[in-house]
Amino acid sequence: GASSMGGMGAGDADSAASAAGDEAAAAEVAANVDHVLVGLLYIARVLVQCGARLRVLAINEAINLHYVAFRECIMPRRDSNCGKCQSVASRRAAFGLVHELAVLFPQFLIRLVQRHYLTVLDENGSTWEFGYDPIQDSRAAVGYVGLYNPGCVCYGNSVLQQLFMTPRFRRAVLDAVDPAKDPRESVLFQLQSLFGWLQESERKCKDPRPFFAAFKDLDGNPTNVRVQQDADEFLSLLLDRIETAVKGLPQEAAITRTFAGKVVNKITGEKCGHVSDNQEPFQVLSVAINGHASLEEALSAHTAGEPLRGDNAYACGTCGHKVDAIKRLCIRELPPTLIVHLKRFEFDYETMLKRKLNSRCSFPEFLDLKPYMEATLAPETASDEAKAAAAAASHYRLVGVVVHTGTTEMGHYYSFIREDRAGGPTRGGAARGDAAAVEDVGRTGAMSRWLEFNDKTVRPFRFERLEAECFGGEDVTWVYDEATRQFVSRVTEKARSAYMLVYERETRR
């Protein structure tokens, strides 16, 4: 994080441990030998030798076989899937086949190099060349695909991974039939393409630029990938556009209801008892955290009653005159997946500048929202709809965190996501049932693990580090003091903290 620059912070050791874990996982993948593939490659090599001796192997067939061995097994095109040879043994066998073909047909060696090898250099640039490592360019060992960042789209990458890891939303998006005529300009189609790649690809990461080209700004221009934006604003705009795109489709209800809830502004006369309420839908619940040490405290303040008296008294339409009243915001309905936006950016009227709140604000793994609902806060005036909503499950479990590190002018977004093996994608490490996947058994009985999605990097995340990485507050770093010629500790504000929280309703309590 930005807070550890210039010295070693508490998170550096954990980062080193995570990097070591990544290397160990990659080594484990490289050590797993595909014996069937190795056997087929060796059989092909023997057949080539026999065919050459018996003069029954045509030169064109040899060239085609070389192309298959090189392009499909060893070094695939950048726009295709990873090569079939993922282990050291299988790559050794493939190179043996290529070598045998080159020895048997030396007159075509230059032609083969020009046709295939030089093409690789043209496609992939000098940085890739023959240093191609299928392990480094493959889907992460934990079983998921990252997102390439071509500039400053970390805000979008972190949010898109959260949406992809929401099974109900992901399935509905992939099942929808896009009515748009031009898929290049369709946000729905590009989101489907991106989700499909994240689900099926064996590559390390997906380039999201086609999606951002279709995701126009407010002036109708493609999103500038070199300009940083706010993750909360991006999410709200994306959900609005997806809802518009699926109007009338069978998946409309599933997509619109996944994150949709309702709040109500209630004004109740203190003496007359007359009630005025104004219901508003929400997809993201924004909560002010300035001056609050926890999410629960911030929600209590968010739903606390505000007296309307004196010059600020309420003009009661029924009474026909101003009366003292209580104004209160209540949650009326909750969605299956609740996204909470922690307002860490605010405008400072003293400096006339936007600033980031780095103060500590904790949040629980398990959240009970019943105390903040209309049926609890205003039971005497609550509607039947509100009472029915309160009777439904109001218990939620944390499944995702979007983190922001940095300042208002310059920063970086990334995500921590809890993988439920009962509902998430079953690919890679998740499908193999790795030991890391069986990290804890939640109240729902589903085995899960936490993962970090940081642009193209996807790696395990230890849940016990959540407080240090997401609550904000102060951090102790060690810096070298020139005067004393020794390392000294300094207390600074953490630049990294949770910006958005994703809670999933618990259905089994």
Side-chain angles (χ1 to χ4, degrees):
S3 62
S4 61
M5 294 177 62
M8 178 170 287
D12 291 312
D14 188 63
S15 297
S18 296
D22 293 344
E23 294 181 4
E28 180 184 354
V29 173
N32 291 330
V33 179
D34 186 344
H35 296 286
V36 175
L37 179 59
V38 172
L40 290 174
L41 289 169
Y42 278 122
I43 291 173
R45 183 175 180 180
V46 172
L47 291 176
V48 166
Q49 294 172 342
C50 295
R53 290 170 186 169
L54 298 175
R55 299 189 178 186
V56 295
L57 179 64
I59 294 176
N60 289 336
E61 292 176 345
I63 294 175
N64 291 335
L65 183 57
H66 180 282
Y67 183 85
V68 171
F70 182 73
R71 278 301 196 191
E72 296 188 11
C73 296
I74 300 175
M75 195 173 292
R77 294 180 182 275
R78 272 296 195 186
D79 58 356
S80 64
N81 225 329
C82 288
K84 292 181 172 61
C85 296
Q86 299 288 305
S87 68
V88 174
S90 60
R91 289 177 67 77
R92 183 181 294 115
F95 274 115
L97 175 59
V98 171
H99 176 264
E100 193 68 40
L101 289 166
V103 169
L104 294 173
F105 301 96
Q107 67 272 38
F108 288 97
L109 182 57
I110 295 178
R111 178 182 170 187
L112 293 172
V113 169
Q114 291 176 338
R115 179 178 176 183
H116 306 308
Y117 291 87
L118 295 183
T119 305
V120 172
L121 301 186
D122 293 338
E123 285 179 359
N124 305 289
S126 59
T127 57
W128 201 43
E129 297 182 352
F130 292 99
Y132 167 67
D133 185 345
I135 303 303
Q136 296 300 321
D137 198 52
S138 299
R139 175 189 283 257
V142 295
Y144 290 89
V145 177
L147 288 171
Y148 170 68
N149 188 347
C152 300
V153 298
C154 56
Y155 66 92
N157 288 351
S158 57
V159 168
L160 288 168
Q161 291 284 17
Q162 294 284 355
L163 295 177
F164 174 74
M165 293 293 282
T166 305
R168 173 176 176 160
F169 183 81
R170 179 184 69 247
R171 286 193 295 266
V173 167
L174 291 175
D175 288 343
V177 178
D178 183 24
K181 296 181 179 179
D182 187 355
R184 294 173 300 178
E185 298 295 318
S186 169
V187 175
L188 176 58
F189 178 86
Q190 293 300 334
L191 184 62
Q192 289 176 321
S193 176
L194 188 143
F195 278 7
W197 185 286
L198 293 179
Q199 180 169 288
E200 300 298 334
S201 176
E202 293 298 334
R203 286 288 192 190
K204 180 182 181 67
C205 61
K206 160 69 174 170
D207 189 340
R209 278 178 288 192
F211 168 81
F212 285 103
F215 190 78
K216 310 298 184 185
D217 60 22
L218 298 180
D219 295 325
N221 301 315
T223 298
N224 188 341
V225 297
R226 299 290 178 182
V227 177
Q228 179 71 283
Q229 296 187 30
D230 183 87
D232 170 58
E233 295 175 358
F234 167 76
L235 173 61
S236 298
L237 188 57
L238 174 59
L239 292 179
D240 285 342
R241 291 182 178 178
I242 293 300
E243 285 189 10
T244 300
V246 298
K247 285 287 186 183
L249 298 182
Q251 294 77 24
E252 178 183 358
I255 290 176
T256 57
R257 293 176 184 173
T258 299
F259 307 107
K262 296 177 183 178
V263 294
V264 58
N265 285 291
K266 300 179 73 71
I267 300 178
T268 306
E270 292 186 331
K271 293 183 178 179
C272 66
H274 296 146
V275 179
S276 171
D277 61 34
N278 180 27
Q279 179 177 281
E280 298 178 4
F282 73 86
Q283 293 175 317
V284 178
L285 185 64
S286 294
V287 181
I289 62 168
N290 192 6
H292 304 299
S294 68
L295 175 61
E296 298 93 328
E297 185 179 312
L299 285 170
S300 295
H302 189 63
T303 56
E306 174 189 355
L308 302 178
R309 297 189 178 93
D311 294 338
N312 199 32
Y314 169 62
C316 180
T318 304
C319 297
H321 57 83
K322 286 190 173 184
V323 299
D324 293 343
I326 298 295
K327 180 181 178 181
R328 185 191 303 274
L329 177 71
C330 309
I331 299 175
R332 175 166 284 179
E333 288 185 19
L334 288 166
T337 301
L338 174 68
I339 301 178
V340 180
H341 166 223
L342 304 179
K343 293 183 177 180
R344 285 199 173 270
F345 298 121
E346 65 174 25
F347 190 78
D348 189 335
Y349 288 96
E350 292 184 1
T351 62
M352 301 302 291
L353 295 172
K354 196 174 182 180
R355 68 187 182 103
K356 181 184 177 183
L357 300 173
N358 292 317
S359 56
R360 177 184 172 88
C361 181
S362 64
F363 49 88
E365 180 183 3
F366 297 96
L367 178 64
D368 182 7
L369 289 164
K370 190 173 182 179
Y372 319 107
M373 299 191 68
E374 180 185 9
T376 302
L377 296 171
E380 65 283 353
T381 59
S383 63
D384 293 338
E385 181 185 21
K387 292 177 181 178
S394 60
H395 296 275
Y396 285 75
R397 184 174 188 178
L398 184 72
V399 295
V401 183
V402 175
V403 180
H404 179 270
T405 181
T407 65
T408 56
E409 303 299 327
M410 182 175 63
H412 179 61
Y413 290 96
Y414 51 95
S415 279
F416 297 131
I417 302 177
R418 178 178 182 266
E419 177 204 44
D420 282 320
R421 297 190 62 200
T426 54
R427 297 294 306 273
R432 293 192 302 268
D434 293 343
V438 195
E439 186 170 287
D440 73 285
V441 179
R443 296 182 186 178
T444 60
M447 292 180 291
S448 65
R449 59 179 172 175
W450 279 82
L451 302 170
E452 175 186 348
F453 290 79
N454 194 335
D455 287 337
K456 64 180 181 180
T457 299
V458 185
R459 59 185 179 182
F461 174 72
R462 299 209 313 269
F463 182 73
E464 58 267 24
R465 291 287 305 163
L466 194 72
E467 178 179 352
E469 297 297 323
C470 301
F471 285 8
E474 295 180 339
D475 198 7
V476 178
T477 60
W478 291 86
V479 296
Y480 186 75
D481 186 2
E482 293 287 350
T484 61
R485 295 186 177 182
Q486 61 182 0
F487 283 94
V488 295
S489 63
R490 289 184 181 175
V491 177
T492 59
E493 281 190 336
K494 290 182 180 179
R496 62 189 187 278
S497 53
Y499 187 60
M500 301 176 74
L501 308 175
V502 183
Y503 281 92
E504 196 77 29
R505 175 183 284 145
E506 287 195 283
T507 56
R508 302 177 187 176
R509 288 278 300 191

